[in-house]
Amino acid sequence: MDPERIDLHTHSHHSDGLLSPVELVALAAQRSLSLLALTDHDTTAGCAAAAAACAAHGIRFVPGVELTCQWRGREIHVVGLAVDAQEPGLVARLADLARRRQQRLAAIGERLTRAGLDGAGIAASVGAAKPVPTRTDVARELVRRAHAEDLASAFERWLAQGRPGYAPADWPELDDTVRGITAAGGHAVLAHPHHYRFSNGALRELGAAFAAAGGAGVEISLAGMGPNDASRAAALARRCGLAGSVGSDFHEPGLPWRPLGRFAKLPDGIVPLSDRLGPLAP
Ligand code: AMP
Ligand code: MN
Ligand code: MN
Ligand code: MN
């Protein structure tokens, strides 16, 4: 299948994307995508609506999720593809992650209050709109209240690690997260390995731990990934026996560096993870 018409990493407004699942699928149809996964942070709430919209447009839909976890104390994202969103273990895992995110939102609010902002009001607005709140939602609220000019400066000034509104969260461990995805019938994919800024040695150890836990793939062709990052990811895939996944990490139409469904082909010799997804609706 033509990798340019596949996108296996996208967000809707159920996490920190701006579009509804129906609007996301309409954009995917406009871009002639044939295979689309919705992978919101720690929630599958948009999957049913996205599946119905994909069926109407003749796009194969993959129910997915991007789970937040930790390895050696560092935050790692694992995409689960073709998960059964009804599987009780996954349902319980997502409920637990929603609780952790709500607790962290309250802690962010307290920190913003100590920094002189209306932290309780900010946390209340975000919490009312988002059952599974992300820092991006807080960043948008900070922009709306004119505490920052745009998303990037809201992170830089308030929400990035070490800034006044940063609150740590105690995320689940990587191996447990990978096993949870597999138990829900899904394929676990190590998301955006270039984001973690690991040394080659640490990245290899992460890849080995991920594969040992049952991880199936790694993102190799991602919008915004340079050729060096992609060849490092491809080397990791070969070394650890992982398939390669493609996606945009699309959040909103206004970010041209993360366009839905447009990225490079997988390098030769890499098994496309999409080949393992099997026959899907419609
Ligand atoms: P969270 O998982 O709630 O900590 O939020 C992480 C999300 O924030 C990521 O998925 C990105 O979409 C977004 N993000 C993280 N850092 C930045 C940044 N510096 N600028 C803009 N968005 C960011
Ligand atoms: Mn995000
Ligand atoms: Mn991510
Ligand atoms: Mn993402």
Side-chain angles (χ1 to χ4, degrees):
M1 189 177 296
D2 179 358
E4 287 182 355
R5 300 180 64 206
I6 293 176
D7 200 321
L8 298 176
H9 188 155
T10 70
H11 296 274
S12 77
H13 68 188
H14 287 280
S15 65
D16 59 352
L18 275 189
L19 302 185
S20 70
V22 168
E23 291 165 338
L24 175 74
V25 172
L27 185 60
Q30 202 182 311
R31 303 256 165 105
S32 308
L33 266 65
S34 53
L35 179 61
L36 176 73
L38 176 64
T39 58
D40 274 316
H41 296 289
D42 302 326
T43 178
T44 54
C47 285
C54 276
H57 283 286
I59 297 172
R60 289 204 300 156
F61 178 67
V62 180
V65 66
E66 181 175 12
L67 295 180
T68 318
C69 61
Q70 60 175 319
W71 178 75
R72 295 186 178 167
R74 300 276 291 273
E75 193 175 305
I76 304 289
H77 289 180
V78 178
V79 167
L81 294 175
V83 293
D84 172 4
Q86 316 297 327
E87 191 270 324
L90 181 60
V91 171
R93 181 175 298 274
L94 295 179
D96 172 60
L97 283 160
R99 263 192 308 275
R100 291 179 199 235
R101 283 188 170 275
Q102 286 155 9
Q103 281 164 5
R104 187 186 58 157
L105 175 64
I108 290 172
E110 285 162 19
R111 283 167 163 81
L112 290 175
T113 299
R114 286 205 285 277
L117 306 191
D118 174 18
I122 291 165
S125 309
V126 171
K130 298 283 178 140
V132 190
T134 69
R135 275 186 298 164
T136 312
D137 303 307
V138 180
R140 290 207 178 98
E141 184 64 17
L142 289 168
V143 173
R144 203 180 68 75
R145 294 179 181 229
H147 296 310
E149 273 188 10
D150 52 29
L151 273 194
S153 41
F155 272 91
E156 250 164 63
R157 180 155 178 214
W158 301 107
L159 298 171
Q161 195 161 0
R163 307 310 298 158
Y166 179 80
D170 184 25
W171 303 114
E173 290 293 329
L174 174 91
D175 54 355
D176 182 59
T177 297
V178 170
R179 284 195 283 267
I181 289 169
T182 311
H187 305 261
V189 174
L190 181 62
H192 42 61
H194 59 305
H195 281 193
Y196 310 126
R197 300 174 192 282
F198 282 136
S199 67
N200 283 330
L203 192 61
R204 281 199 291 268
E205 288 172 26
L206 169 63
F210 181 79
V218 56
E219 289 182 334
I220 293 176
S221 187
L222 199 74
M225 210 172 187
N228 288 342
D229 294 329
S231 57
R232 258 182 109 199
L236 189 70
R238 292 189 186 98
R239 187 184 182 95
C240 300
L242 299 170
S245 193
V246 299
S248 60
D249 204 1
F250 176 84
H251 284 69
E252 53 181 293
L255 298 181
W257 56 91
R258 282 184 184 171
L260 187 68
R262 300 262 148 82
F263 21 80
K265 292 191 166 156
L266 287 171
D268 287 341
I270 297 291
V271 177
L273 189 94
S274 53
D275 286 1
R276 302 220 181 128
L277 295 174
L280 298 158

